[in-house]
């Protein structure tokens, strides 16, 4: 039962253009959503997060949008740079069994072409 | 701030032996640490949650007698893969959550440990 889904396993974008990575979830109890960037053989690096009570959060080139009614969030990267090429995971936080846990999506591999 | 280290970064062991992986929070105290496993081209799967001074809570399907977790202090958690088999080969990642000065839902990830069992 995949509660957090990233349906696009890969995405290629031209440098300077916008990258849009999508994530869908099923559990309405998720209270926080996060995006992580990951390079091979490294741990994930936190990028940006959004509370379930907001619909947008912006940090530099990164903006996360949340549509609660659709149970959908997206990460926009503008402008995309070659250094953004990595695997991006969305994660959802839920408070259960006395602690916050993260449920990760399957990841989207972004390739930014120079 | 919020640096998490793992040691070793990679290890090769023979089938049947045990391997210990350390996870340390270097500049903050982590009351809760998490252990994840990632298979190639797959998501990070939460294996267990460990709280300092208490027994770890394992996710469904994770053998607690095979994956021993000890959270001995506020800066150290260890994962021991006992009697390792080739199917245990994977990328193991820990994360730590701090409370003081950090929002309670944020986790900081270590760089991961690549385990290969031959």
């Amino acid at each position: 039962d995949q509660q957090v889904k990233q349906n696009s396993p890969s995405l290629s974008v031209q440098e300077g253009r916008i990258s849009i990575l999508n994530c869908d979830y099923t559990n309405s109890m998720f209270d926080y959503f996060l995006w992580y960037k990951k390079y091979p053989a490294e741990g994930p690096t936190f990028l940006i997060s959004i509370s379930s009570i907001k619909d947008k959060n912006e940090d530099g080139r990164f903006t996360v949008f949340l549509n609660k009614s659709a149970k959908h969030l997206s990460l926009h990267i503008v402008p995309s740079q070659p250094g953004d090429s990595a695997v991006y995971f969305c994660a959802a936080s839920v408070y259960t069994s006395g602690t916050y846990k993260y449920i990760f999506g399957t990841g989207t591999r972004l390739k930014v072409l120079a | 701030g919020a640096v998490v280290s793992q040691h070793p970064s990679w290890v090769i062991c023979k089938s049947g032996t045990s391997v210990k992986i350390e996870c340390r929070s270097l500049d903050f105290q982590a009351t809760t640490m998490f252990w994840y496993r990632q298979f190639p081209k797959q998501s990070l799967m939460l294996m267990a949650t460990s709280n300092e001074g208490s027994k770890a809570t394992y996710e469904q399907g994770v053998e607690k007698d095979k994956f021993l977790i000890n959270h001995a202090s506020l800066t150290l958690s260890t994962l021991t893969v006992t009697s390792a088999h080739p199917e245990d080969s994977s990328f193991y990642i820990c994360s730590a959550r701090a409370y003081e000065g950090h929002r309670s839902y944020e986790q900081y990830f270590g760089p991961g440990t690549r385990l290969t069992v031959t």
Side-chain angles (χ1 to χ4, degrees):
Chain A
D1 176 28
Q2 189 69 31
Q3 297 187 67
V4 180
K5 298 180 185 179
Q6 293 175 256
N7 292 317
S8 298
S10 63
L11 174 69
S12 290
V13 171
Q14 235 12 79
E15 180 180 8
R17 307 294 289 268
I18 184 172
S19 295
I20 300 177
L21 297 100
N22 294 303
C23 181
D24 297 294
Y25 62 96
T26 58
N27 190 342
S28 59
M29 297 303 292
F30 290 143
D31 57 357
Y32 232 87
F33 301 90
L34 308 96
W35 283 94
Y36 283 86
K37 178 180 180 180
K38 186 180 182 300
Y39 295 110
E42 292 185 14
T45 303
F46 171 75
L47 274 178
I48 191 169
S49 65
I50 188 168
S51 163
S52 61
I53 62 174
K54 296 191 174 182
D55 55 18
K56 178 182 176 181
N57 187 26
E58 192 172 350
D59 184 1
R61 296 187 298 116
F62 302 94
T63 303
V64 56
F65 295 92
L66 175 63
N67 183 332
K68 278 193 72 175
S69 60
K71 292 190 173 68
H72 176 85
L73 65 153
S74 60
L75 173 67
H76 293 210
I77 306 174
V78 182
S80 301
Q81 300 173 353
D84 295 330
S85 297
V87 177
Y88 288 79
F89 288 95
C90 68
S93 172
V94 61
Y95 190 79
T96 179
S97 302
T99 190
Y100 285 97
K101 292 184 181 179
Y102 285 5
I103 309 295
F104 279 85
T106 49
T108 296
R109 182 176 300 278
L110 173 66
K111 185 180 287 186
V112 180
L113 307 170
Chain B
V3 177
V4 177
S5 70
Q6 275 184 247
H7 178 78
S9 56
W10 60 271
V11 58
I12 301 173
C13 71
K14 292 189 176 181
S15 188
T17 61
S18 295
V19 175
K20 181 185 282 188
I21 303 170
E22 291 186 350
C23 177
R24 294 182 185 272
S25 57
L26 299 185
D27 52 0
F28 66 99
Q29 293 186 328
T31 55
T32 304
M33 288 186 170
F34 303 85
W35 286 95
Y36 294 84
R37 182 174 179 177
Q38 185 185 25
F39 295 99
K41 298 184 179 180
Q42 291 192 29
S43 181
L44 283 74
M45 302 300 296
L46 179 64
M47 298 175 65
T49 303
S50 76
N51 291 294
E52 186 263 339
S54 62
K55 288 185 179 180
T57 302
Y58 291 81
E59 296 299 303
Q60 194 172 10
V62 178
E63 298 176 61
K64 60 181 180 181
D65 294 329
K66 180 167 189 58
F67 299 100
L68 301 179
I69 292 172
N70 183 279
H71 194 154
S73 75
L74 286 172
T75 59
L76 173 65
S77 176
T78 60
L79 167 68
T80 301
V81 183
T82 63
S83 186
H85 290 283
E87 57 265 31
D88 298 325
S89 299
S90 192
F91 193 60
Y92 292 88
I93 306 174
C94 73
S95 71
R97 189 173 67 225
Y99 285 92
E100 186 176 354
H102 296 268
R103 290 171 289 191
S104 62
Y105 46 76
E106 287 185 1
Q107 296 181 24
Y108 300 93
F109 286 83
T113 297
R114 168 73 60 194
L115 170 63
T116 302
V117 185
T118 60

